Amino acid sequence: MAGGLVVALGAGLGVWASSDDDTATPAGSAASRRAAPGTSAAGDSAASAAARAASPTPSRSYALSTTPRTIPAVSAHTPARGPGWKPQSTRRVVVSDAALADEGRLVAGELGLTYAGEKDDVRAGDLRLALNDDEGANPESYTMTVRGGRVTISAPSDAGVFYGTRTLKQEVHAGGTAPEGVVRDRPAKPQRGFTLDIARKHFTAAWIEDRVRELGDLKYNQLGLHFSDDQAFRIESDSHPEIVARQHLTKAEVKRIVDLAASRHITVVPEIDSPGHLGAVLAAHPELQLRNASGVATRGAIDISKDDSASLLDDLLDEYADVFPGAYWHLGGDEYQALTVSSPAASYPQLAAAATARYGSGAGVADLTTGWLNDRADTVRAHDRTMRVWNDGFFRGTSVKPASDLVVAYWTGKEIGARTPTEYLSAGRKVLNYNDEYLYYVLGEPNDFAYPTGQRIYQQWTPRVLRGTTPVAAKYHAQILGGSFSVWCDLANSQTQAQVAAGIRMPLRATSQKLWDAGTPPLTWTQFKALADHLG
């Protein structure tokens, strides 16, 4: 297996020189020959030097390089003959633009190289990072050229350059060689995420930071944090400290996570779910708890007929917009229990009255709920964010329509009045794939959930498989922006942090492969698993 992996990872198949010099000069060349016994190279006569120069010298031959094996796999590799490239402590990382300093320092530290900064000169063994002017190219694409003992990674953006360094890091893992030739690579989907439920289960900042590093190496670019639910509200709050659980992340810890994620070109996407899943907030504000006509509290549901309910949520949305500066926001919107009863108007007359008062005769509780989400979207939109809502936060037959810029986070087809993904897509909505059939790792496996396996994702799932196991039509490919593998902590004590990390290891790698390249993977599952084990 070890020998097979060396070949699989693109190690040069030709004969390597025994020396460790930076030039990797072919054996038999003038520079590589040693002086005859009793003489020195410096003492050679001009005549003998000229004679040697006139004589033909043998050249080393190399087999064509093989495509590097990485996770996710590269899109294309043009093979070439040559020794490839290995990191050495004497070799430099140089950048052609000061904007790439962070990427340069990171990869230099990871590969044991010397970061030399912005340089124009060329030295043997250099790793050069550069921005190109390839207008119209995918900003996350990159080209990596291994030639003449040097490596150049160029891209339209620093994100693309970063992904090139991830490929190189995997190629040279454990003494491997970056194969001669040119890699041209880009992702199939622009949004590649991992969602973590930190509300039901407290995860330490250090554990989350470890996942950020793992996600970065796998070319993910989003980390979702679901930090408010019925069980707890898990991030420090200045506007409403009364709602925060004893075990929580401080804002300083969150800033470190956000900053680390940014250094890996990962955006942290916050979620404060409403108008359902607010039990922890309502425990501190019982006056805003939704109650039915009999006065019985409805679990997790806030009374959206009350102005103070909106004020409380908007306080939190405004506060955390400063904590999470990224471009995306998750509004939640799922499982509002007032809409799961047979007659919402009869069970919750205050909601029905508020709907009529605001939207006119004929408006119902679903209209009021849609209006609630639109109002929260107005609050977040003021912070210039793109918003997503769970698919069961959209309702049929309402006079109030969800805001047109809300992206559908499609996770289930099991809700009351379930709508197929095609209904959203045919209406022109953009969709993110959270398919609970494949991508939901639910602690304790309640409600018929089973822990997803990397093999099943790798062999069966694609971004077009939004619901169940059946893909939507290929014509909707562009509307599906990507997807997210998710950890939900319904039975929080079912697994430790370490068990969660181990359990999601292969599913994360399989999901990464399918979001980077939605086609048939180049490796069998057995080969993919062996590669993952080799890379660590």
Side-chain angles (χ1 to χ4, degrees):
M1 179 60 70
L5 282 169
V6 169
V7 174
L9 289 166
L13 299 181
V15 180
W16 276 90
S18 61
S19 67
D20 290 328
D21 66 274
D22 286 346
T23 57
T25 308
S29 69
S32 70
R33 279 197 298 270
R34 299 293 181 262
T39 67
S40 69
D44 283 350
S45 69
S48 60
R52 284 196 303 273
S55 302
T57 57
S59 62
R60 174 178 299 160
S61 62
Y62 295 93
L64 272 177
S65 60
T66 58
T67 300
R69 289 193 171 180
T70 59
I71 298 176
V74 300
S75 303
H77 175 254
T78 302
R81 298 182 188 277
W85 181 90
K86 283 188 175 184
Q88 296 177 12
S89 60
T90 55
R91 293 182 167 177
R92 305 185 306 173
V93 175
V94 296
V95 299
S96 298
D97 192 302
L100 298 174
D102 289 344
E103 287 72 26
R105 290 190 179 95
L106 177 62
V107 73
E110 291 172 328
L111 302 187
L113 307 173
T114 300
Y115 178 67
E118 195 172 359
K119 300 290 183 182
D120 293 327
D121 65 314
V122 176
R123 294 186 188 176
D126 276 355
L127 165 58
R128 178 170 293 277
L129 309 182
L131 295 175
N132 59 41
D133 56 358
D134 192 359
E135 294 183 7
N138 185 319
E140 293 185 310
S141 66
Y142 67 90
T143 299
M144 181 169 67
T145 303
V146 180
R147 182 183 297 137
R150 294 186 294 275
V151 181
T152 299
I153 297 172
S154 65
S157 73
D158 53 353
V161 169
F162 172 74
Y163 296 133
T165 67
R166 301 307 87 191
T167 295
L168 182 64
K169 180 182 176 182
Q170 290 192 26
E171 287 178 346
V172 302
H173 175 78
T177 302
E180 202 86 2
V182 180
V183 167
R184 292 180 177 87
D185 200 14
R186 66 177 186 174
K189 293 299 179 183
Q191 297 189 40
R192 306 174 301 279
F194 168 59
T195 298
L196 180 64
D197 171 12
I198 64 172
R200 296 180 179 93
K201 181 180 181 69
H202 174 65
F203 289 87
T204 64
W207 190 92
I208 298 172
E209 288 169 3
D210 285 344
R211 301 290 75 70
V212 167
R213 296 183 185 95
E214 181 179 16
L215 295 172
D217 283 352
L218 295 171
K219 301 187 175 83
Y220 282 88
N221 61 7
Q222 291 182 13
L223 167 64
L225 290 182
H226 175 92
F227 63 93
S228 171
D229 213 303
D230 294 339
Q231 291 78 2
F233 190 100
R234 296 279 190 189
I235 296 179
E236 176 186 359
S237 173
D238 298 317
S239 66
H240 289 281
E242 73 280 0
I243 69 175
V244 180
R246 180 183 61 82
Q247 280 191 311
H248 65 271
L249 298 176
T250 67
K251 285 187 176 179
E253 288 174 321
V254 172
K255 185 179 188 307
R256 287 197 297 273
I257 292 168
V258 169
D259 289 347
L260 178 65
S263 75
R264 266 68 176 175
H265 297 275
I266 295 170
T267 299
V268 181
V269 183
E271 181 192 0
I272 301 176
D273 202 350
S274 81
H277 291 279
L278 283 170
V281 171
L282 293 169
H285 290 274
E287 73 281 5
L288 302 180
Q289 175 79 54
L290 178 65
R291 296 181 180 276
N292 66 16
S294 301
V296 177
T298 302
R299 185 173 183 268
I302 199 166
D303 190 336
I304 60 177
S305 71
K306 296 183 176 180
D307 291 342
D308 286 348
S309 295
S311 296
L312 173 58
L313 261 294
D314 287 345
D315 284 347
L316 296 172
L317 295 175
D318 284 331
E319 176 180 0
Y320 289 100
D322 292 332
V323 178
F324 298 100
Y328 305 102
W329 194 283
H330 203 315
L331 291 168
D334 65 315
E335 299 179 327
Y336 189 48
Q337 297 301 310
L339 292 170
T340 63
V341 297
S342 58
S343 176
S347 295
Y348 301 96
Q350 74 276 35
L351 299 185
T356 301
R358 182 168 181 181
Y359 298 112
S361 177
V365 176
D367 290 291
L368 189 68
T369 306
T370 302
W372 166 275
L373 278 175
N374 285 344
D375 290 345
R376 307 293 74 75
D378 287 342
T379 300
V380 174
R381 195 178 293 108
H383 298 283
D384 195 27
R385 307 298 160 83
T386 298
M387 295 157 288
R388 61 192 67 163
V389 174
W390 296 116
N391 62 287
D392 51 333
F394 294 81
F395 309 105
R396 277 196 189 103
T398 57
S399 58
V400 179
K401 303 303 179 185
S404 60
D405 59 345
L406 299 181
V407 174
V408 179
Y410 199 97
W411 72 282
T412 187
K414 303 180 180 74
E415 78 277 14
I416 295 175
R419 300 166 69 182
T420 66
T422 303
E423 287 192 49
Y424 301 99
L425 293 164
S426 61
R429 290 274 179 188
K430 294 179 179 178
V431 176
L432 284 165
N433 192 324
Y434 288 77
N435 189 337
D436 65 347
E437 176 75 22
Y438 290 95
L439 306 179
Y440 263 35
Y441 191 95
V442 185
L443 296 197
E445 302 179 302
N447 302 321
D448 297 324
F449 280 108
Y451 291 128
T453 67
Q455 182 173 2
R456 190 162 181 256
I457 295 168
Y458 190 79
Q459 294 177 335
Q460 299 179 19
W461 180 81
T462 74
R464 284 172 43 211
V465 181
L466 285 159
R467 173 183 179 178
T469 61
T470 305
V472 298
K475 66 181 180 180
Y476 295 122
H477 171 78
Q479 284 175 249
I480 302 170
L481 302 178
S484 181
F485 185 85
S486 303
V487 170
W488 299 103
C489 303
D490 292 42
L491 300 175
N493 295 325
S494 300
Q495 290 192 342
T496 64
Q497 289 188 143
Q499 288 172 323
V500 173
I504 66 176
R505 181 178 173 275
M506 287 310 299
L508 277 178
R509 282 151 179 77
T511 305
S512 165
Q513 173 62 40
K514 302 306 275 291
L515 289 171
W516 192 265
D517 182 352
T520 302
L523 304 180
T524 66
W525 169 251
T526 300
Q527 291 170 328
F528 184 82
K529 177 66 165 59
L531 176 61
D533 290 344
H534 173 76
L535 293 175

